[in-house]
Amino acid sequence: MEGLKVSNANLTVYLHPSKSRDASEAILRELSSLLFTFSEALDGVVLAYDINSLDNKAAKILSGVIPYFGVPLSVDLLLFSPKPDMLLEGKVVKLSQESIHVVVLGFSSAIITVKDIREEFVYKTKHEQDVYASKSHKRHVIKVGTMIRFSVKSFDEEILHIYGSLMPDHTGSIHWLEKHSELISHTNKIAKKRESEGELTTVKQDAIDGKISPLDSVQKIKRSKKQKIQEES
Amino acid sequence: MGRVSGAEKQEFSEMENAEFSDLQLICHVRDALSAVTLGDRENYDELVGYLHRKESLNPDDIALLETTLKALSGTVSCIDSVHHESLLSAVYRMSLWNYGTSIMDALIELIVSLAASNGKYIDWSLELLVNNFTPPYHLMDSLKQESGIEKKNKVLSRVHAAFEAIAVLVPLAPLRLSPIVVQRMPLIYSKGPEILMYVENMLKLESGAIGEIVGVTMLPAIVDRLIELDVEIGWDGLLQEDAKGIFEMELEDAEFADGDGDGDDNMVGVSIVILSEHPCMLTCQADCIQAWLDQAVGVVKWLCEVAKLHMVNSGKRPRKQLGHRVISSAINYNSQEGKSLCSKLVVDSQLTVNFSANFCVNCKPAAEYLNRKTLEGNTIAEKLDSLIELTFLHLESCQSSGRLSEVFDVLLRSFQRTILNAYKSKFTQFVVFYACALDPEDCGVKFAMVLTDMFLSNVNPPNTRMSAVAYLASYLSRAKFVSAALVASILQRLVDWCLNYCQSHDSVMNLRAHQVFYSGCQALMYMLCFRMRSLMDAPRLKMQLLNMPMEPILQHKLNPLKVCLPTVVVEFLRQAKAAKLFMTSESFAFDDMLESDLSRAFGGIDRLDAFFPFDPCLLKKSESYIRPHFARWSKIKCDGANDGDLSESGSDASDDEFVDMNENDMIEDDMTVSVQAGLDFDPDLNRMSITPKNKFLLHFQQQNARMPARIRPSTSPESL
């Protein structure tokens, strides 16, 4: 899954003087307040932090009515920053005729509207369950609880809401994609080979017969391809 | 799924006599919505029009509305916040309470779909749901009936289910819900039922499926509201409905005529200050009159102050429902001087008051003037009472579901932050008391330990430490469920600390500098007043008690016996003598029982004069929950008096002393508040309970005179 990265950041945490007795606890609390919020400076949602070292430099006291003091830190941060066209994985929580609702990493909600779901998938009600089933691949089914891979259209930073899309070919149910990725690529290769071979034979045949119709040959190739795919799935 | 009612056909006239499937409806709505962006608002406005129908009750309209909502749920992704603003505001104004269950379900589905579809609508949806916590005003009254309650259950169950549904789809929604709920809490001046219902919802959230995230903010917010209500209650506002005044002046051969004549025999109700143009016969003995009149002048003047404050209708007796009833006091007089006095009063008070016949001076305590019965709507005290009762019930349900420990942790944190430092919080702390009572071994002990640690740790500021030890003393004395062993162990820690303090501070009595120490000593003595007997009963604890080095503390140069409250000290020494605790120093201790000026100033203008937070709760409903776990002073006193060992001082007590103690009992065990209104009795009597500060009363006290007639404490029916 894309979109996750680990960054090292040099931060300064400003603490209220009342916390000077137990500064480390206060620092942890301050860092915890960053969690699950999008930070412009860090360009991502902070998911976890790990303090590398409290630099042993002294903390600078700010002048002012309340003399906060700034503790310099070096922190490792796990950041989540989805960008458009990235591929993300999440669990489907709700399906409707209009949209698929997904939860990514347990905290971020994503929605894929019907406009962004490719033609291949059709909304059906099977065995009293709502599913999106693929027209071309029978076993490729998306229902509640399925882990799917989708691409990002946009990301709402305030509410951490993702607008996703199932348009690209390599999106869909992860389980099915993993299982059939090799087969697909293999099928594609063979089909291409056969295609080129088929072309030659039919051309030869037709040449002998005297009829060469480009449409026929194309149709034949398509049919043979389909047959092969059906056999294998 | 697809069958559409006849009404649809009529409305969608462009497709006559056709059946619509859901899909077609959705397409139609989608088209209508997208047409708005192109400028064609016709279909869209039609849709919005359906949503505005509120008073529609006929089945056609209901079906239409339901279908519209369902269709909208299917097209949420097409709803744009700018173009479809009127649609959104129409939905926002819909309240679940106005409709039947089918529309409720459709509306909830729409809200949930909107929330999940776009981040912009999450706050909007949550606010809409929170708006449905309380019914619209015109439905408030119907809640008392069976049908109202049924409706309430239907609405609230759907609202809370909607929260859970949204939480599943948008995991971060509960985080955003907490601040919304807290911000929209009704103010303390709102009507009682509204506040109650809202808090009920908050408690439901706390115990619900999303309670883990939301619950941490709910309870502290409720406690904050309780404190706000608490501090609004002046001491004057708390009188039990049928309790009489503590002290009634009895006139020899007096005829009590109720001045306002509206039959308020219980003398709790009041009427405005009224003086008549026609003086009536005074039936008191002549030699009392002058003194009485002086007294009465003061009372009436004070009453006039109060009346002014409450904007009594001049010239007319206020209607009962106005509720601004001041203490009924009228003056019996028949003399010339009486008459002139009254005229003078009228002039002074600047009130045009009516004169009417037949007065009598009832020097009732000021406590009556905010009688709950007569104030319009719910008074603050009643609101607080109901809220605390609601919280008690919630705690009980937490206990039965096994969550009390976690809830108590949240409550305790809130207590430390809010209640502990609130100046003389009166009743809110009973929430913690009740939680401890429900689970004595865990919560009860935890509370005592936290308070002890707060006192003993010198990190905390002095006011916090003094407050903590006052809470500790009052709690351990009043909680029946706390074991004697725990009390003994905590006493030991306190004694050790005090001894340590004495040994490290070799200085003379100085109230300000050693206030923490003095508050600790007072706490010790107060606790022992209540618990001495139970400690002496157990042989192991008796040994522990006898071995505690209290003598050197009490005899130290710092002289705590002189600084601490005399009532407490007297009672403590009396019990100690009976228990044979400090045998060598008894004579010394008793001799010192003078009322010291310093004791009056203990805490002084600052906070901690006499603060015993768990004194009897004066709120009726809450008190009934607390009663089985609460130790009454009178009970302990009686037990002590009956017992052979300790009865020495008890039986030897003179009548005066007995009267003294009785008055103590009255104050503690009565549901009435301690008296002030000009009665010049021993102010010590106030010390065993909380002394209110009211500037009017203080002002009045300055001009007081001794009560001339016989004063007898009334035997309040509530004393046991």
Side-chain angles (χ1 to χ4, degrees):
Chain A
M1 180 166 124
E2 301 161 34
L4 285 172
K5 60 183 178 193
V6 177
S7 303
N8 182 280
N10 292 327
L11 304 173
T12 312
V13 179
Y14 290 99
L15 300 178
H16 190 271
S18 62
K19 311 273 190 273
S20 52
R21 178 173 279 267
D22 195 359
S24 39
E25 198 188 303
I27 291 172
L28 289 174
R29 194 170 297 151
E30 282 295 321
L31 287 173
S32 300
S33 71
L34 275 180
L35 291 175
F36 296 116
T37 55
F38 184 84
S39 162
E40 285 269 350
L42 301 165
D43 188 34
V45 180
V46 180
L47 295 184
Y49 61 84
D50 185 22
I51 303 183
N52 275 338
S53 61
L54 272 168
D55 288 348
N56 282 324
K57 297 179 232 160
K60 235 184 170 181
I61 300 180
L62 295 178
S63 61
V65 174
I66 304 176
Y68 280 78
F69 57 98
V71 182
L73 297 174
S74 164
V75 186
D76 281 335
L77 297 166
L78 178 63
L79 296 169
F80 177 62
S81 57
K83 298 275 181 287
D85 294 330
M86 274 188 180
L87 288 175
L88 294 181
E89 293 164 17
K91 190 171 182 185
V92 176
V93 284
K94 188 178 169 194
L95 279 174
S96 74
Q97 208 152 28
E98 207 211 6
S99 56
I100 299 177
H101 297 267
V102 184
V103 169
V104 176
L105 289 175
F107 75 93
S108 176
S109 54
I111 186 172
I112 306 168
T113 52
V114 73
K115 295 187 295 238
D116 298 314
I117 303 177
R118 57 181 185 269
E119 298 291 328
E120 186 191 335
F121 287 105
V122 165
Y123 178 77
K124 286 185 196 164
T125 311
K126 258 186 191 175
H127 313 297
E128 312 230 335
Q129 239 188 359
D130 296 333
V131 295
Y132 270 87
S134 161
K135 282 192 286 196
S136 38
H137 308 283
K138 246 193 181 151
R139 294 271 171 87
H140 194 172
V141 149
I142 298 177
K143 51 190 177 187
V144 173
T146 318
M147 295 291 290
I148 63 166
R149 185 176 293 147
F150 61 95
S151 79
V152 178
K153 264 177 63 186
S154 65
F155 180 55
D156 180 339
E157 287 155 9
E158 204 197 307
I159 190 67
L160 306 185
H161 194 91
I162 303 172
Y163 301 93
S165 149
L166 277 176
M167 283 305 204
D169 279 330
H170 39 282
T171 55
S173 159
I174 294 178
H175 176 78
W176 190 89
L177 287 169
E178 307 266 281
K179 206 164 138 195
H180 296 98
S181 59
E182 290 169 10
L183 289 169
I184 287 181
S185 57
H186 185 65
T187 319
N188 282 342
K189 270 190 222 155
I190 293 177
K192 279 194 185 129
K193 234 178 160 184
R194 290 233 179 107
E195 220 179 273
S196 46
E197 279 174 23
E199 251 179 341
L200 285 167
T201 44
T202 44
V203 164
K204 273 188 202 156
Q205 192 80 33
D206 291 331
I208 298 168
D209 290 312
K211 310 175 236 173
I212 298 175
S213 148
L215 268 171
D216 283 339
S217 53
V218 169
Q219 273 173 3
K220 275 185 200 158
I221 291 161
K222 275 194 180 156
R223 238 180 280 139
S224 63
K225 240 179 158 178
K226 262 193 192 161
Q227 273 173 354
K228 283 208 181 76
I229 290 168
Q230 273 173 356
E231 280 161 38
E232 270 146 51
S233 64
Chain B
M1 264 182 42
R3 293 209 73 86
V4 164
S5 76
E8 311 295 327
K9 296 181 196 169
Q10 286 164 12
E11 303 296 338
F12 302 145
S13 52
E14 60 266 27
M15 300 194 206
E16 289 175 7
N17 296 323
E19 271 182 10
F20 298 98
S21 68
D22 275 355
L23 200 52
Q24 282 172 311
L25 269 173
I26 289 178
C27 283
H28 172 85
V29 172
R30 198 172 287 167
D31 292 337
L33 289 173
S34 39
V36 175
T37 53
L38 302 169
D40 174 17
R41 295 182 65 100
E42 197 189 316
N43 289 333
Y44 169 72
D45 286 336
E46 202 182 348
L47 270 175
V48 177
Y50 302 151
L51 294 176
H52 276 286
R53 294 192 196 171
K54 261 185 216 157
E55 280 75 41
S56 63
L57 287 176
N58 61 50
D60 286 343
D61 286 335
I62 292 177
L64 183 60
L65 185 53
E66 192 185 332
T67 333
T68 316
L69 288 170
K70 281 198 175 135
L72 281 170
S73 311
T75 53
V76 279
S77 55
C78 304
I79 297 181
D80 178 60
S81 56
V82 173
H83 289 120
H84 304 124
E85 200 196 317
S86 56
L87 176 74
L88 288 170
S89 55
V91 174
Y92 195 79
R93 267 183 262 123
M94 291 174 79
S95 169
L96 285 169
W97 296 82
N98 289 325
Y99 305 105
T101 47
S102 55
I103 298 187
M104 276 195 231
D105 287 330
L107 185 54
I108 292 277
E109 203 188 313
L110 174 61
I111 297 172
V112 172
S113 310
L114 265 174
S117 70
N118 194 325
K120 283 187 278 186
Y121 299 127
I122 290 187
D123 283 346
W124 181 92
S125 315
L126 293 175
E127 280 171 25
L128 178 45
L129 288 170
V130 171
N131 282 347
N132 280 291
F133 276 176
T134 50
Y137 286 124
H138 61 272
L139 288 177
M140 272 291 194
D141 292 324
S142 69
L143 281 178
K144 296 179 197 135
Q145 295 142 21
E146 191 59 44
S147 59
I149 298 178
E150 216 182 293
K151 176 127 221 185
K152 173 181 127 180
N153 288 336
K154 282 187 201 161
V155 172
L156 293 184
S157 60
R158 282 172 172 78
V159 167
H160 288 273
F163 284 133
E164 288 168 38
I166 295 181
V168 166
L169 296 173
V170 185
L172 290 178
L175 268 180
R176 300 185 80 88
L177 180 60
S178 311
I180 292 175
V181 172
V182 173
Q183 263 165 28
R184 281 162 175 261
M185 267 186 97
L187 297 174
I188 57 176
Y189 302 107
S190 326
K191 292 248 165 31
E194 195 188 328
I195 303 183
L196 267 180
M197 181 152 274
Y198 198 91
V199 171
E200 198 184 317
N201 275 292
M202 286 172 80
L203 290 173
K204 215 167 167 178
L205 273 176
E206 198 267 332
S207 51
I210 52 174
E212 273 176 31
I213 306 172
V214 175
V216 189
T217 38
M218 294 293 117
L219 266 182
I222 296 175
V223 170
D224 288 344
R225 193 55 98 235
L226 288 176
I227 284 276
E228 273 177 47
L229 283 168
D230 202 317
V231 300
E232 285 289 320
I233 302 178
W235 273 106
D236 313 347
L238 302 163
L239 190 61
Q240 281 286 299
E241 281 162 4
D242 29 79
K244 300 184 187 174
I246 290 184
F247 294 102
E248 291 162 34
M249 221 160 59
E250 278 165 270
L251 316 172
E252 301 197 292
D253 307 319
E255 275 173 23
F256 267 36
D258 208 41
D260 54 0
D262 56 359
D264 261 327
D265 289 330
N266 58 7
M267 294 194 287
V268 165
V270 291
S271 38
I272 53 164
V273 177
I274 40 179
L275 300 167
S276 171
E277 280 172 35
H278 308 286
C280 69
M281 300 301 293
L282 176 68
T283 51
C284 288
Q285 299 192 353
D287 55 352
C288 293
I289 286 187
Q290 190 50 50
W292 267 37
L293 285 175
D294 292 341
Q295 181 73 34
V297 167
V299 172
V300 173
K301 265 199 177 141
W302 175 75
L303 294 172
C304 293
E305 288 288 325
V306 173
K308 253 192 282 189
L309 194 64
H310 285 268
M311 296 176 297
V312 173
N313 277 342
S314 58
K316 272 197 290 195
R317 184 177 308 171
R319 295 181 307 258
K320 271 190 187 173
Q321 50 270 39
L322 270 189
H324 296 308
R325 309 189 88 188
V326 192
I327 294 183
S328 100
S329 83
I331 302 177
N332 252 336
Y333 67 91
N334 70 343
S335 63
Q336 196 58 32
E337 6 178 59
K339 204 161 143 197
S340 60
L341 177 73
C342 285
S343 341
K344 181 173 174 292
L345 272 176
V346 169
V347 169
D348 281 353
S349 65
Q350 292 161 3
L351 274 180
T352 52
V353 284
N354 275 338
F355 283 67
S356 75
N358 299 339
F359 330 98
C360 37
V361 178
N362 305 324
C363 276
K364 281 191 284 293
E368 296 179 8
Y369 88 81
L370 269 181
N371 186 349
R372 270 181 278 151
K373 247 196 322 200
T374 52
L375 269 184
E376 181 183 39
N378 289 321
T379 64
I380 300 222
E382 223 175 271
K383 283 183 213 170
L384 182 61
D385 197 9
S386 313
L387 276 177
I388 292 186
E389 188 191 8
L390 197 60
T391 320
F392 284 170
L393 290 169
H394 177 76
L395 287 172
E396 279 173 19
S397 77
C398 286
Q399 195 212 11
S400 49
S401 59
R403 300 173 46 229
L404 190 60
S405 216
E406 296 95 47
V407 174
F408 186 72
D409 286 335
V410 176
L411 199 55
L412 200 53
R413 272 200 300 274
S414 173
F415 168 82
Q416 285 175 283
R417 234 179 321 121
T418 325
I419 306 179
L420 188 64
N421 290 317
Y423 181 47
K424 286 191 175 165
S425 144
K426 299 173 203 67
F427 311 115
T428 314
Q429 56 268 22
F430 280 101
V431 174
V432 185
F433 188 92
Y434 193 65
C436 293
L438 288 175
D439 187 2
E441 279 96 54
D442 183 19
C443 302
V445 174
K446 209 188 287 184
F447 186 48
M449 286 306 173
V450 163
L451 286 172
T452 321
D453 292 335
M454 282 185 85
F455 172 68
L456 296 177
S457 131
N458 56 5
V459 169
N460 295 319
N463 273 347
T464 309
R465 294 172 79 183
M466 285 158 65
S467 189
V469 83
Y471 270 94
L472 181 66
S474 193
Y475 169 65
L476 289 178
S477 315
R478 296 293 190 170
K480 265 190 195 166
F481 48 87
V482 167
S483 67
L486 177 68
V487 178
S489 67
I490 291 185
L491 272 173
Q492 185 73 55
R493 287 173 76 184
L494 286 180
V495 167
D496 292 340
W497 182 87
C498 289
L499 189 62
N500 201 0
Y501 192 94
C502 286
Q503 285 162 353
S504 53
H505 288 82
D506 190 27
S507 44
V508 289
M509 184 164 72
N510 181 340
L511 180 57
R512 271 285 142 261
H514 306 291
Q515 53 184 351
V516 180
F517 169 72
Y518 291 128
S519 63
C521 293
Q522 181 171 295
L524 268 175
M525 291 191 272
Y526 187 80
M527 267 193 277
L528 281 170
C529 287
F530 280 82
R531 289 286 189 157
M532 181 97 72
R533 262 210 93 228
S534 56
L535 284 179
M536 299 302 278
D537 281 345
R540 183 175 61 87
L541 299 175
K542 182 173 176 178
M543 282 313 298
Q544 191 178 3
L545 186 62
L546 289 172
N547 286 333
M548 278 189 212
M550 279 189 280
E551 246 183 86
I553 299 173
L554 299 173
Q555 286 176 323
H556 191 265
K557 263 198 275 182
L558 283 169
N559 221 333
L561 290 176
K562 271 214 166 152
V563 179
C564 296
L565 293 174
T567 351
V568 178
V569 175
V570 166
E571 182 58 29
F572 167 70
L573 288 172
R574 204 151 54 73
Q575 289 203 21
K577 182 181 184 186
K580 300 181 178 55
L581 270 184
F582 316 124
M583 280 321 287
T584 52
S585 65
E586 281 319 296
S587 49
F588 145 78
F590 267 124
D591 289 343
D592 253 351
M593 279 308 99
L594 313 159
E595 198 175 288
S596 84
D597 289 333
L598 275 172
S599 69
R600 226 186 272 265
F602 182 53
I605 313 160
D606 297 329
R607 327 175 39 257
L608 211 63
D609 21 346
F611 183 38
F612 302 107
F614 291 111
D615 273 351
C617 180
L618 299 179
L619 300 174
K620 206 169 174 186
K621 284 189 263 189
S622 318
E623 200 269 335
S624 62
Y625 286 85
I626 297 281
R627 201 180 305 151
H629 311 284
F630 194 79
R632 312 201 66 114
W633 172 243
S634 53
K635 275 267 152 54
I636 293 175
K637 204 66 206 110
C638 288
D639 292 346
N642 291 337
D643 187 75
D645 271 352
L646 300 177
S647 65
E648 276 178 275
S649 47
S651 55
D652 288 343
S654 68
D655 280 338
D656 286 353
E657 210 183 328
F658 178 72
V659 164
D660 248 43
M661 287 326 290
N662 231 2
E663 284 161 357
N664 257 342
D665 298 349
M666 294 307 139
I667 290 167
E668 289 185 57
D669 298 328
D670 262 347
M671 287 312 169
T672 55
V673 168
S674 61
V675 286
Q676 318 80 10
L679 302 171
D680 187 27
F681 54 89
D682 189 355
D684 282 351
L685 296 171
N686 276 330
R687 299 313 173 97
M688 289 301 263
S689 59
I690 301 176
T691 313
K693 291 246 184 283
N694 181 310
K695 56 175 179 167
F696 292 114
L697 301 169
L698 274 181
H699 165 72
F700 181 61
Q701 270 171 343
Q702 286 160 17
Q703 338 160 302
N704 62 17
R706 276 214 155 268
M707 286 315 274
R710 214 167 48 217
I711 302 175
R712 285 204 312 253
S714 73
T715 49
S716 161
E718 304 293 322
S719 70
L720 291 172

